[in-house]
């Protein structure tokens, strides 16, 4: 219903009573019962909508719930959607323009209620001589409660004038009355005001480590900072991973675990051996629990593109596979959730944080405990790069897939080390080398995904009794194998670029020569 | 946009009360709702305190010279608008017949409103004509209030027969019992054991109640002045049932 309602700003520090009395002298009005309404802004965990200038909000007025959408800051005024509920994911919606716009901003991320504004509303209506409602007004106080423990704050006061269709003259008279009082038209800035009160930063969340390590600090101090930041990311993503619909939470959670394990095993002469052994085992167990969930998530995301290569009939026959994937994912997720909700898990995480936050140096120190971090970083990165070169150079067209898998792991270790210690090096130089490495990693990652996905299909074929679905899956395996061959063919070119004389020299300049210069 | 027609060949079976109360309930859900008072008697317009008058009358509306939008009036309730009746609607058939595809004309007229409204309720006059056929075509659901008496059941059979003859989708027809007086044995029997030709009859039924008649005195939907009365509760449960028909997976 295209209602061009007018919203006016009422002075923050004044009450409505005087104005209401004056209004009543000029119009025949009927006061209605005061109501409490809510305006809930939905966004992703990392504020993708807000940062894009988009807004998705639900207006809750008694039993009524209306949902509005603004595509971006340059977009039209917000439009009302014909939805009853805010979707959790863009993929929950049927194909439509809103789904397309939403997906382009939030991708696979989950929508959560992020800002809730309480509106104390005094509604009234203007009546004509037949007692028919001809204009609707409301006098509103917008409240925001930053948390359960903090007192609420008034964000602003507003007077809203809503026309009733077919009664434009009466509406104009009411607008004229308020205009004569010099009240200004309001901008829709309640979400912004609430965010300012909340202290939330909409740009704060990132999975980047963003550490500023000092080059000369002892390795132990630096490593603890890295591990602590990884623990923060892990904990920021654990609630979302438990909910399980937004696959990015699990992805970020899992990557922070892998990085933690990589730090513990690669930088292994800094922390006491018993600590390394205890937590490596703990995080390894957690990582294994995330494997099937993530593999199935990635497979389900890629399934759309895989099945495009099949005939329409074959695609339709894949329903048993989709059911199998959903069920397998649910089972794997259940096991993961049980662990994360366990007292043992919580205790371990608590102890890990306490350990990392304890500034006491390890005594007696290990070989690298007190080494200046830049020296250790140089050594570790250079050695890992050498290993990657060695493993990569040994790969020919006939080499077993296992060797590519090993190289993929080595590249990951190298990437993590470079990210941990990124702040010790000139930003442009290390970023360039990370980019060179990323090109190779993308190729190896794609090859590995295809291998894993072929495996998932093989398992399904073994378990399923549905002949049609099995046949369609066998066709899909053939398509996957073809893609694997293509990916494999591209490997040589990617590796050649990564191991070029130029890149090798840049690695050397950054991780070997620069140390000499410092000395 | 879902189009819900409240229709019966018979008069006095509670069509207008149903259209008024259900459209009000839809608007309470937050859905943008329009009720079109197609009956020249203008009872629905009266209930909403809106004059039964449309500038240019049926001719201009049907010919499309005046878009429906321009004739719409806001009711006293948020999210609920009304397209008033006009006495000239008695000639609606004549003007519809003159259009290119008479049976599909109503659908054409409603199309421009599809972005604006979630529901359109059509309060139909008691007749069977070309204009009614246009309603059958446009409606997603045809609600047929039926008094549990022999004559009313006979009328219902006639509607079903007509749908079959003219190849309209009979799945659209949702009959329900209205003005039910359980003190009467025939009413009780029919409601408890609906005849086999009414397989889709709604579980909810509307009792014969003085509260419904009071809508004329209050000039308001039941939910507004007597939300806890039995009849209001029955309309509410009927609305929930209709929604489950419209959105089977919701």
């Amino acid at each position: 219903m295209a209602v061009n309602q007018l919203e006016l700003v009422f002075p923050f520090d004044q009450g409505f009573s005087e104005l209401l009395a004056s209004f009543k002298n000029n119009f025949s009005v009927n006061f209605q019962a005061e109501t409490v309404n809510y305006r809930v802004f939905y966004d992703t965990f990392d504020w993708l909508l807000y940062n894009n200038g988009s807004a998705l909000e639900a207006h809750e007025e008694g039993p009524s719930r209306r949902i509005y959408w603004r595509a971006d800051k340059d977009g039209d005024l917000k439009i009302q959607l014909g939805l009853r509920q805010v979707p959790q994911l863009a993929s929950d919606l049927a194909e439509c323009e809103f789904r397309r716009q939403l997906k382009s901003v939030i991708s696979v991320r989950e929508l959560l209620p992020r800002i809730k504004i309480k509106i104390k509303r005094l509604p009234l209506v203007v009546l004509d001589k037949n007692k028919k409602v001809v204009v609707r007004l409301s006098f509103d106080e917008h409240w925001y409660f930053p948390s359960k423990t903090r007192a609420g704050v008034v964000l602003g006061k507003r007077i809203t004038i809503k026309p009733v269709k077919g009664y434009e003259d009466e509406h104009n008279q009411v607008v004229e009355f308020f205009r004569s009082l010099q009240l200004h038209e309001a901008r829709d800035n309640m979400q912004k005001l609430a965010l300012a009160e909340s202290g939330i930063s909409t740009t704060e969340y990132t999975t980047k480590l963003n550490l500023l390590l000092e080059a000369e600090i002892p390795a132990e101090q630096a490593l603890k900072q890295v591990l602590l930041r990884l623990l923060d990311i892990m904990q920021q993503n654990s609630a979302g991973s438990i909910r399980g619909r937004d696959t990015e939470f699990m992805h970020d959670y899992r990557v922070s675990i892998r990085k933690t394990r990589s730090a513990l095993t690669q930088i292994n002469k800094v922390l006491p051996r018993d600590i390394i052994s205890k937590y490596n085992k703990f995080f390894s167990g957690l990582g294994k629990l995330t494997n099937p969930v993530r593999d199935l998530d990635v497979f389900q995301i890629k399934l759309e593109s895989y099945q495009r290569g099949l005939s329409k009939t074959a695609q339709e026959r894949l329903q048993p596979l989709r059911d199998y994937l959903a069920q397998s994912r649910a089972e794997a997720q259940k096991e993961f959730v049980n662990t994360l909700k366990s007292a043992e898990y919580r205790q371990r995480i608590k102890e890990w944080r306490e350990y990392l936050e304890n500034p006491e140096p390890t005594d007696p120190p290990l070989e690298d405990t007190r080494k200046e971090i830049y020296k250790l970083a140089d050594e570790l990165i250079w050695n890992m790069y050498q290993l990657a070169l060695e493993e990569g150079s040994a790969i020919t067209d006939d080499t077993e897939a296992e060797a590519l898998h090993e190289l993929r792991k080595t590249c990951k270790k190298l990437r993590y080390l470079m990210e941990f210690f990124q702040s010790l090096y000139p930003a442009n130089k290390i970023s360039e080398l990370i980019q060179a490495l990323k090109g190779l990693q993308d190729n190896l990652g794609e090859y590995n995904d295809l291998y894993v996905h072929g495996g998932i299909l093989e398992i399904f074929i073994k378990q399923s009794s549905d002949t049609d679905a099995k046949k369609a899956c066998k066709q899909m395996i053939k398509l996957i194998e073809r893609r694997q061959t293509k990916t494999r063919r591209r490997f040589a070119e990617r590796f050649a670029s990564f191991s070029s004389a130029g890149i090798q020299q840049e690695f050397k300049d950054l991780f070997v020569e620069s140390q000499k210069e410092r000395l | 946009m879902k189009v819900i027609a409240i229709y019966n060949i018979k008069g006095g079976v509670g069509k207008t009360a149903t259209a008024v109360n259900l459209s009000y309930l839809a608007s309470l859900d937050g859905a943008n709702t329009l009720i079109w008072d197609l009956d020249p008697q203008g009872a629905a317009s009266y209930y909403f305190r809106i004059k039964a008058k449309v500038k240019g009358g049926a001719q201009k509306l049907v010919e499309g010279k005046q878009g429906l939008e321009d004739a719409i009036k806001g009711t006293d309730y948020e999210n609920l608008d009304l397209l008033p009746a006009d006495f000239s609607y008695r000639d609606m058939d004549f003007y519809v017949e003159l259009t290119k595809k008479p049976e599909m004309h109503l659908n054409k007229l409603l199309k421009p409103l599809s972005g604006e409204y979630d529901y359109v309720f059509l309060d139909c006059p008691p007749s069977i004509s070309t204009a009614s056929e246009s309603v059958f075509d446009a409606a997603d659901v045809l609600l047929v209030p039926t008094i549990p008496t022999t004559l009313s059941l006979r009328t219902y059979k006639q509607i079903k027969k007509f749908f079959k003859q003219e190849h309209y989708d009979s799945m659209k027809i949702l009959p329900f019992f209205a003005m039910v007086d359980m003190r009467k044995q025939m009413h009780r029997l029919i409601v408890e054991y609906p005849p086999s030709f009414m397989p889709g009859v709604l579980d909810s039924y509307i009792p014969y109640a003085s509260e419904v008649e009071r809508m004329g005195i209050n000039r308001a939907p039941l939910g507004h002045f007597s939300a806890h009365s039995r009849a209001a509760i029955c309309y509410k449960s009927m609305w929930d049932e209709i929604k489950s028909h419209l959105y089977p997976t919701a």
Side-chain angles (χ1 to χ4, degrees):
Chain A
M1 206 173 291
V3 175
N4 301 315
Q5 64 177 36
L6 179 68
E7 203 170 292
L8 301 168
V9 179
F10 189 75
F12 201 79
D13 50 353
Q14 289 179 27
F16 287 127
S17 51
E18 206 177 309
L19 175 66
L20 282 170
S22 160
F23 187 71
K24 222 173 136 185
N25 287 336
N26 287 272
F27 295 92
S28 165
V29 300
N30 190 359
F31 286 91
Q32 299 182 327
E34 256 190 55
T35 60
V36 172
N37 304 320
Y38 294 94
R39 198 171 162 190
V40 187
F41 289 90
Y42 284 77
D43 212 323
T44 62
F45 176 67
D46 47 356
W47 298 95
L48 291 173
L49 291 182
Y50 185 82
N51 292 327
N52 184 58
S54 310
L56 182 63
E57 50 180 301
H59 290 197
E60 295 170 4
E61 301 176 10
S64 140
R65 187 184 172 89
R66 280 183 264 176
I67 298 162
Y68 295 91
W69 165 244
R70 187 183 65 215
D72 54 59
K73 59 183 180 301
D74 303 318
D76 290 339
L77 283 172
K78 59 190 180 188
I79 54 158
Q80 189 183 341
L81 302 168
L83 296 174
R84 293 159 181 221
Q85 297 291 335
V86 172
Q88 264 188 307
L89 303 173
S91 57
D92 288 346
L93 295 161
E95 284 297 339
C96 63
E97 178 57 19
F98 167 55
R99 182 193 206 255
R100 194 194 62 71
Q101 290 179 0
L102 184 66
K103 198 166 184 198
S104 73
V105 187
I106 69 167
S107 183
V108 297
R109 298 241 63 165
E110 173 189 29
L111 289 167
L112 304 162
R114 302 304 310 266
I115 292 284
K116 187 171 186 172
I117 292 166
K118 183 177 178 176
I119 304 169
K120 287 186 183 173
R121 173 163 294 166
L122 174 65
L124 61 89
V125 289
V126 175
L127 305 171
D128 68 3
K129 59 179 189 307
N130 297 318
K131 305 279 180 209
K132 165 83 184 74
V133 173
V134 288
V135 186
R136 285 192 185 87
L137 291 99
S138 68
F139 292 73
D140 300 337
E141 260 182 24
H142 294 250
W143 285 77
Y144 178 64
F145 296 82
S147 69
K148 279 181 185 161
T149 50
R150 276 175 63 189
V153 281
V154 178
L155 296 173
K157 291 185 179 180
R158 298 281 189 267
I159 298 168
T160 307
I161 307 163
K162 288 186 198 170
V164 174
K165 261 188 196 166
Y167 302 91
E168 285 74 23
D169 291 347
E170 291 85 346
H171 173 253
N172 290 340
Q173 285 167 23
V174 171
V175 170
E176 197 55 40
F177 172 86
F178 285 105
R179 291 264 190 231
S180 71
L181 301 175
Q182 310 291 319
L183 297 180
H184 299 293
E185 209 165 316
R187 282 186 304 130
D188 186 7
N189 56 356
M190 285 300 162
Q191 188 185 16
K192 202 172 175 183
L193 293 173
L195 274 167
E197 286 295 335
S198 71
I200 295 169
S201 161
T202 57
T203 51
E204 201 174 60
Y205 177 76
T206 171
T207 51
K208 287 185 179 160
L209 294 184
N210 282 352
L211 292 170
L212 278 175
L213 298 174
E214 287 170 38
E216 278 86 18
I217 59 168
E220 182 176 33
Q221 196 182 329
L223 179 57
K224 279 186 170 179
Q225 283 186 43
V226 169
L227 291 167
L228 205 49
R229 174 77 185 110
L230 290 170
L231 179 60
D232 286 341
I233 299 172
M234 215 182 291
Q235 290 190 297
Q236 281 172 331
N237 285 287
S238 57
S241 301
I242 287 172
R243 282 198 303 278
R245 288 220 70 198
D246 177 343
T247 54
E248 284 301 292
F249 284 115
M250 169 65 91
H251 178 247
D252 291 350
Y253 179 87
R254 173 179 154 81
V255 170
S256 57
I257 284 182
R258 269 207 319 240
K259 286 182 176 173
T260 300
R261 282 196 61 218
S262 189
L264 288 173
T265 51
Q266 302 314 305
I267 315 166
N268 55 9
K269 292 171 191 156
V270 173
L271 303 180
R273 292 199 197 293
D274 58 331
I275 290 285
I276 293 181
S277 159
K278 179 176 167 186
Y279 286 102
N280 189 32
K281 200 173 155 200
F282 171 63
F283 287 113
S284 164
L286 273 182
K288 275 182 192 148
L289 281 177
T290 67
N291 285 344
V293 185
R294 181 64 192 163
D295 286 348
L296 289 160
D297 280 344
V298 176
F299 184 77
Q300 292 196 67
I301 292 166
K302 293 263 176 85
L303 182 59
E304 209 177 312
S305 98
Y306 292 156
Q307 66 183 26
R308 260 185 239 130
L310 300 179
S311 68
K312 209 169 174 202
T313 325
Q315 288 185 28
E316 282 161 8
R317 288 175 175 164
L318 287 175
Q319 194 50 44
L321 171 70
R322 290 188 200 101
D323 297 343
Y324 163 79
L325 293 172
Q327 198 194 332
S328 307
R329 207 250 182 220
E331 282 165 14
Q333 170 77 6
K334 196 175 169 190
E335 203 179 333
F336 168 73
V337 169
N338 286 343
T339 302
L340 254 69
K341 283 186 170 172
S342 70
E344 192 193 342
Y345 171 84
R346 285 200 299 270
Q347 182 60 24
R348 276 290 168 90
I349 290 288
K350 187 172 163 253
E351 285 169 9
W352 181 228
R353 182 170 284 284
E354 280 168 3
Y355 171 74
L356 296 175
E357 284 175 347
N358 181 1
E360 281 295 305
T362 298
D363 194 20
L366 281 80
E367 193 181 324
D368 292 334
T369 305
R370 291 182 187 162
K371 191 180 264 184
E372 288 160 308
I373 189 59
Y374 77 91
K375 288 184 185 166
L376 183 60
D378 278 354
E379 279 170 34
L380 290 167
I381 295 172
W382 180 244
N383 291 340
M384 197 57 75
Y385 179 59
Q386 293 305 308
L387 181 62
L389 287 181
E390 196 184 308
E391 286 178 2
S393 308
I395 294 173
T396 65
D397 290 349
D398 306 321
T399 313
E400 291 290 314
E402 192 55 33
L404 284 153
H405 182 57
E406 281 307 311
L407 177 61
R408 187 178 68 87
K409 289 201 287 188
T410 304
C411 286
K412 257 195 178 127
K413 288 173 189 167
L414 174 60
R415 170 85 173 268
Y416 293 162
L417 286 170
M418 290 168 82
E419 286 178 359
F420 295 158
F421 304 123
Q422 197 162 358
S423 62
L424 299 173
Y425 302 94
N428 57 343
K429 288 189 179 168
I430 192 152
S431 296
E432 198 184 316
L433 293 179
I434 288 176
Q435 277 308 312
L437 174 58
K438 194 174 172 292
L440 177 61
Q441 278 190 296
D442 288 347
N443 177 266
L444 293 166
E446 193 186 339
Y447 186 77
N448 184 65
D449 282 349
L450 292 163
Y451 179 78
V452 171
H453 298 165
I456 291 173
L457 288 171
E458 294 283 5
I459 295 173
F460 170 74
I461 289 168
K462 266 185 203 159
Q463 291 182 3
S464 175
S465 55
D466 189 308
T467 329
D468 287 342
K470 280 159 80 163
K471 205 172 153 194
C473 285
K474 279 178 189 164
Q475 286 173 12
M476 210 186 317
I477 289 179
K478 276 188 189 153
L479 292 172
I480 286 178
E481 282 169 353
R482 243 179 273 156
R483 277 200 200 187
Q484 246 182 321
T485 313
K486 276 189 194 168
T487 311
R488 173 93 190 232
R489 254 187 244 139
R490 283 197 293 269
F491 166 76
E493 173 204 324
R494 295 284 178 101
F495 183 73
S497 159
F498 174 69
S499 58
S500 69
I503 296 287
Q504 288 203 37
Q505 189 57 48
E506 282 179 46
F507 263 95
K508 194 170 181 191
D509 289 347
L510 201 58
F511 303 110
V512 180
E513 301 300 334
S514 64
Q515 198 174 131
K516 286 182 195 158
E517 280 167 30
R518 283 191 227 223
L519 294 169
Chain B
M1 184 175 82
K2 300 284 185 193
V3 179
I4 300 169
I6 297 90
Y7 173 81
N8 199 325
I9 306 172
K10 263 179 84 63
V13 294
K15 288 190 295 296
T16 299
T18 303
V20 167
N21 287 315
L22 294 185
S23 60
Y24 173 75
L25 289 167
S27 74
L28 280 189
D29 285 346
N32 292 327
T33 308
L34 174 71
I35 172 168
W36 188 353
D37 185 359
L38 283 163
D39 189 340
Q41 294 175 69
S45 306
Y46 176 81
Y47 280 148
F48 285 116
R49 296 170 191 271
I50 292 171
K51 204 172 170 186
K53 178 86 192 141
V54 171
K55 210 176 165 188
Q59 185 179 0
K60 274 200 169 174
L61 280 187
V62 173
E63 286 174 353
K65 284 182 185 162
Q66 181 190 342
L68 300 188
E69 173 71 18
D70 297 339
I72 292 171
K73 300 268 186 187
T75 69
D76 287 5
Y77 313 100
E78 284 206 66
N79 317 323
L80 181 54
D81 291 343
L82 175 119
L83 182 50
D86 190 276
F87 199 56
S88 63
Y89 284 1
R90 69 190 188 282
D91 300 323
M92 188 77 98
D93 248 11
F94 174 73
Y95 299 115
V96 171
E97 291 276 11
L98 293 178
T99 60
K100 271 188 189 165
K101 292 177 182 168
E103 292 82 10
M104 292 155 89
H105 194 67
L106 190 62
N107 202 7
K108 189 179 165 192
L109 289 177
L110 289 172
K111 217 167 194 180
L113 301 178
S114 63
E116 197 172 347
Y117 292 101
D118 301 308
Y119 295 109
V120 174
F121 287 83
L122 304 174
D123 182 22
C124 303
S127 67
I128 191 148
S129 60
T130 312
S132 318
E133 288 194 58
S134 199
V135 167
F136 302 158
D137 170 68
D140 293 290
V141 162
L142 195 79
L143 283 176
V144 183
T146 306
I147 304 174
T149 59
T150 320
L151 277 184
S152 282
L153 294 179
R154 189 175 158 267
T155 315
Y156 176 73
K157 266 181 159 176
Q158 285 173 338
I159 298 170
K160 287 265 287 188
K161 196 176 164 194
F162 184 80
F163 259 66
K164 202 176 172 189
Q165 267 171 11
E166 301 299 321
H167 305 292
Y168 286 109
D169 178 6
S170 60
M171 295 298 285
K172 287 181 178 181
I173 303 176
L174 275 189
F176 69 90
F177 292 116
M179 303 174 83
V180 175
D181 185 347
M182 285 301 216
R183 290 168 305 181
K184 295 180 179 169
Q185 199 185 6
M186 181 189 272
H187 281 216
R188 205 171 51 238
L189 262 174
I190 295 175
V191 169
E192 285 175 5
Y193 304 100
S196 57
F197 57 84
M198 290 182 102
V201 67
L202 295 180
D203 291 336
S204 327
Y205 66 86
I206 306 302
Y208 180 81
S210 57
E211 288 293 327
V212 179
E213 285 172 358
R214 278 184 53 215
M215 284 170 64
I217 298 166
N218 289 287
R219 297 183 75 176
L222 264 178
H224 184 69
F225 66 88
S226 186
H228 301 293
S229 63
R230 180 144 179 263
I233 292 165
C234 289
Y235 276 119
K236 173 81 179 66
S237 99
M238 178 179 290
W239 176 232
D240 290 338
E241 204 180 338
I242 293 166
K243 281 189 285 184
S244 70
H245 274 270
L246 290 170
Y247 310 102
T249 52

